[in-house]
Amino acid sequence: MQSYKRLMRLSEEAILLQSISAIMDWDMETYMPAKGVPLRGKQIAILETLNHERITDPQIEKLLDEIKSDNDYSKLSDVQKRNVYLIERNYLREVKVPTELISKLAKETTLATESWKKAKKDANFSIFQPNLEKVLELSKKRAAHIDPDKEPFDVFLDILEPGMDSKYLTSLFNDLKKQLIPIMNKCLEASNQPDLSLIHRQCPIETQQKLAIDIAKLVGYDLEAGRIDETEHPFTTGYFNDVRITTHYSLNDFSSSFFSVLHEAGHGIYEQNLNSDWIYQPVAEASSMGIHESQSRFFENVIGRSLEFWRFYLLRFKDLTGKTFADVELEPFVQALAAVRPTKIRVAADEVTYSLHIIVRYEIERDLLMEKIAVNELPVVWNQKMEEYLGVTIKNDAEGVLQDIHWAGGGFGYFPSYTLGNIIAAQFLAEMKRLLPNFSDLIEQGKISPIKAWLNEKVHSLSNLYDPLDLVKRVTGKALNISDHINYLEKKYSEIYGF
Amino acid sequence: MQSYKRLMRLSEEAILLQSISAIMDWDMETYMPAKGVPLRGKQIAILETLNHERITDPQIEKLLDEIKSDNDYSKLSDVQKRNVYLIERNYLREVKVPTELISKLAKETTLATESWKKAKKDANFSIFQPNLEKVLELSKKRAAHIDPDKEPFDVFLDILEPGMDSKYLTSLFNDLKKQLIPIMNKCLEASNQPDLSLIHRQCPIETQQKLAIDIAKLVGYDLEAGRIDETEHPFTTGYFNDVRITTHYSLNDFSSSFFSVLHEAGHGIYEQNLNSDWIYQPVAEASSMGIHESQSRFFENVIGRSLEFWRFYLLRFKDLTGKTFADVELEPFVQALAAVRPTKIRVAADEVTYSLHIIVRYEIERDLLMEKIAVNELPVVWNQKMEEYLGVTIKNDAEGVLQDIHWAGGGFGYFPSYTLGNIIAAQFLAEMKRLLPNFSDLIEQGKISPIKAWLNEKVHSLSNLYDPLDLVKRVTGKALNISDHINYLEKKYSEIYGF
């Protein structure tokens, strides 16, 4: 299979170039000197161009034809066939978009991001509006090139969550919304309310750095194959044995960095444990953003925000933090860490209300791309929905429609992955508990490695062998559905709040 | 000049790829997780391949022909003509070396570097010998491809120091050797000998980090366009507004890091101040390694190891270091910092004996490449020359022929640049003193910026517009010669040692 080998060589070059971009991006956010920005822009642009040349190389079409018409095609393994499929899928998508449109979009999203920063600072959507209009228009053109017969939103969604569309998501999210709001309200109405002051005690950054390393190691993030650095917004990037996570420290809220580290460590553990037999092949990538978020949320919420975990960790936590938290007691502390309260800001949201923030964005973005609402209507629609679903009154655009960077960068279709992650994490949890009946004991004893090993075997090692909906079915035996997530939330929060 | 533009676009891509490699190399030495090595090897290999494809692109020959036969050729500026010349020179050199030989050499130098590490650890040259033989053989083949009519050593030298050959260097270095040995001996025989214990006082790493930033800023290294990090061996890398330096801290010898920082800041200042009008063009690179070393040695030795500088800096140094050096007095302290004593190790050598270390290496390397000595004779010849020139007795290969990494990497022709740097720095100094008669006053007042501005204007901004020998003549009005260097050393050290 000479053609297969040649195809894989092209693909490996693209993957290596992407892994170089990841480090250059990481460096820009962490250690790059301030004046390095224009040079870095050019460096990243050339890496992207070289990558794009490889994934749209005219040879690919010929090689794909040769591979499929070859008598030996049937002798390819499932993994090899998946590689061929993934390369073809990506090729067919990318080759249809004119290079001119790609550079226009790159230019406009850069301008829009700058404009978004200014608009957010001034809490004034109208500054951002004309830029967002341009990005939206070009993004719709891009979608039309990829598939003129599909709704643009569905085109974007299919890139991030292959196999899903807005019809599917709307139905899933409508169900979810109906179930989440009552749980939120029961928490808010409970007589047993958390004392948040237990968390907001001054905790020196050096102590928080020690906590970050301790907790990342405890859950199995390999610091010999990764690092923890500080950036304004936490993120994970890298490839296989060089996967780096970042966090952001807040002096009066250790939990902000603590849960960021658990979250990013979840992403990092997934990336570090993708199937190394397939390294440098498309099949060795993550299955989807939703699967990725299931891993981060599993470590952040299912483990990190559980009573069982703190039964084990509280003593160690007190040891590491000296006198600061010496007097806190287990249950009130966990109640504070898992407290449910509607916020205006997505990234500050708890486990129950988080998905309501996502559903607000999903519905607005879907309607925007379907031209049911216009860009200039976004602030009003945003504020209405926030009031309706979360009961919060948005006072200005900075705490409302301008809070997220995604749209400025043309990142349409991205928000649902966060909620899919919540749903999938709970489905994995239910299956894990079935196969590891001592699951709670393991967590209470701080023994995370059998849990990590389960995820390694059932999820990580399958990498991108299956699309996300297939992977969920394969791992759990059930189609993706919200009932495990709802059961998990009801059980956990009725215990915490006593309703 | 469509052809010129196309040629420059190819060249710009190569330069950007090199600038990306620089950051990836820096990251490998500073923050990369331990397990990242194999991936980083592949990342660097693809960047090198892509760079090599561009500098040997078959289009280049055609474009060069078109440019030169075009009626508009005479309308090109000197800068544009220099770009054409530099691209052609590099193309003609690189295109002649078979890709197969390049990858063989890359493989053998990697093996030889590993073998050198082991041999050095075991102080046993015979472990390294077979690897060095292979690297030498392949390197000679490479030289034969580039120019079969030239001595291999001269081929390599011409890459690093365009316009120089071994005949020229042998004569220059013979003169230098004759003059340096008596100066060294006068220092050693002087009754006034330095008290080195003044330097070897415990100085916390945090204090040394503060000193590093203070001194780097003081001499004009721009920390908004650079950084200082810690690595095992100090180095400088980067491009224009992102030029990073590193140092290595030694608890009981602040001077090790202090002078490393000054040295690397010298390199960094050169790179940060190359002519930005020509950014991304070959003419905007450094003229040669020797010119580069002239800048690092200027800041390290001419400024940093001078009595004038410490007249200004000692007070500030005492402020920054607390009680540790509170009692030291100016003259004994500077005598200790500039102390002349033959060492076995090049990187620990002083300003007078340093070039003798280089001459030992130069003579051996030249004779090795001319097949006057064989690889297995290296330890004996090394030890003889060290005894003869420096009067030191080498007890084992680790402190002898195995101390430097250069040959393992096939870096033949590199050592002379260090001494050329010493010579050129003194020539620049003499000219600078002629044009800035208050030079010593400026240093005594800590006013380095007029001195840096002089170097910016006369040296840095010319970048690679001239080959090194032409540049020296242009800046100083004189051909490269050792007399300014010898005068500088005699004056300085007769004052310090009182001979």
Side-chain angles (χ1 to χ4, degrees), chain A residues 12-13 16-17 19-20 23-24 26-27 31-36 38-40 42-43 46-47 50 53-54 222-227 239 241-242 244 280, chain B residues 12-13 16-17 19-20 23-24 26-27 31-36 38-40 42-43 46-47 50 53-54 222-227 239 241-242 244 280:
Chain A
E12 175 173 323
E13 283 192 17
L16 279 170
L17 288 164
S19 76
I20 295 168
I23 299 300
M24 297 299 278
W26 172 89
D27 180 77
Y31 297 115
M32 189 186 77
K35 290 182 185 167
L39 170 62
R40 186 54 47 93
K42 286 187 80 98
Q43 290 167 328
I46 193 177
L47 289 168
L50 292 170
E53 279 171 15
R54 273 148 193 80
D222 183 355
L223 279 156
E224 295 274 295
R227 313 180 32 86
Y239 194 68
N241 275 324
D242 185 358
R244 308 175 182 195
Y280 309 124
Chain B
E12 176 174 323
E13 282 192 18
L16 279 171
L17 287 163
S19 77
I20 294 167
I23 299 299
M24 297 299 278
W26 171 87
D27 180 77
Y31 297 114
M32 188 185 78
K35 291 182 185 169
L39 169 62
R40 186 55 47 92
K42 287 188 79 98
Q43 289 167 328
I46 194 177
L47 289 169
L50 292 170
E53 279 171 16
R54 273 148 192 81
D222 183 354
L223 278 156
E224 295 274 295
R227 310 181 34 85
Y239 194 69
N241 275 324
D242 185 358
R244 306 174 184 197
Y280 309 124

Side-chain angles (χ1 to χ4, degrees), chain B residues 156-198:
Chain B
F156 297 133
L157 187 65
D158 194 58
I159 298 174
L160 300 160
E161 301 296 342
M164 297 190 204
D165 61 22
S166 55
K167 199 177 149 221
Y168 172 82
L169 275 193
T170 299
S171 151
L172 191 79
F173 285 2
N174 279 344
D175 285 353
L176 185 63
K177 188 167 61 179
K178 266 183 238 148
Q179 309 254 27
L180 286 180
I181 294 175
I183 301 176
M184 172 184 76
N185 287 333
K186 277 190 262 180
C187 292
L188 296 179
E189 288 153 15
S191 56
N192 180 17
Q193 287 296 317
D195 173 7
L196 295 180
S197 72
L198 291 176

Side-chain angles (χ1 to χ4, degrees), chain A residues 268-332:
Chain A
I269 288 167
Y270 186 14
E271 290 285 333
Q272 287 180 338
N273 293 282
L274 290 166
N275 199 319
S276 61
D277 292 345
W278 309 333
I279 189 169
Y280 309 124
Q281 300 173 28
V283 69
E285 314 220 314
S287 172
S288 81
M289 287 317 302
I291 302 293
H292 233 306
E293 285 295 321
S294 78
Q295 299 307 293
S296 55
R297 289 181 186 267
F298 186 90
F299 285 95
E300 177 191 355
N301 292 330
V302 175
I303 294 181
R305 284 195 170 91
S306 73
L307 193 64
E308 291 88 343
F309 173 73
W310 286 93
R311 276 211 181 98
F312 161 75
Y313 197 70
L314 188 58
L315 255 180
R316 186 150 150 180
F317 176 76
K318 288 184 178 182
D319 266 0
L320 284 164
T321 51
K323 289 177 195 161
T324 315
F325 299 97
D327 62 317
V328 305
E329 282 170 32
L330 179 66
E331 295 195 359

Side-chain angles (χ1 to χ4, degrees), chain B residues 198-235:
Chain B
L198 291 176
I199 297 170
H200 293 103
R201 296 178 178 185
Q202 194 165 315
C203 181
I205 306 302
E206 303 79 62
T207 307
Q208 293 194 45
Q209 285 168 336
K210 274 186 215 153
L211 281 172
I213 289 171
D214 185 64
I215 189 72
K217 273 190 185 165
L218 179 68
V219 296
Y221 173 69
D222 183 354
L223 278 156
E224 295 274 295
R227 310 181 34 85
I228 307 176
D229 293 275
E230 193 177 352
T231 54
E232 196 175 335
H233 303 284
F235 66 88

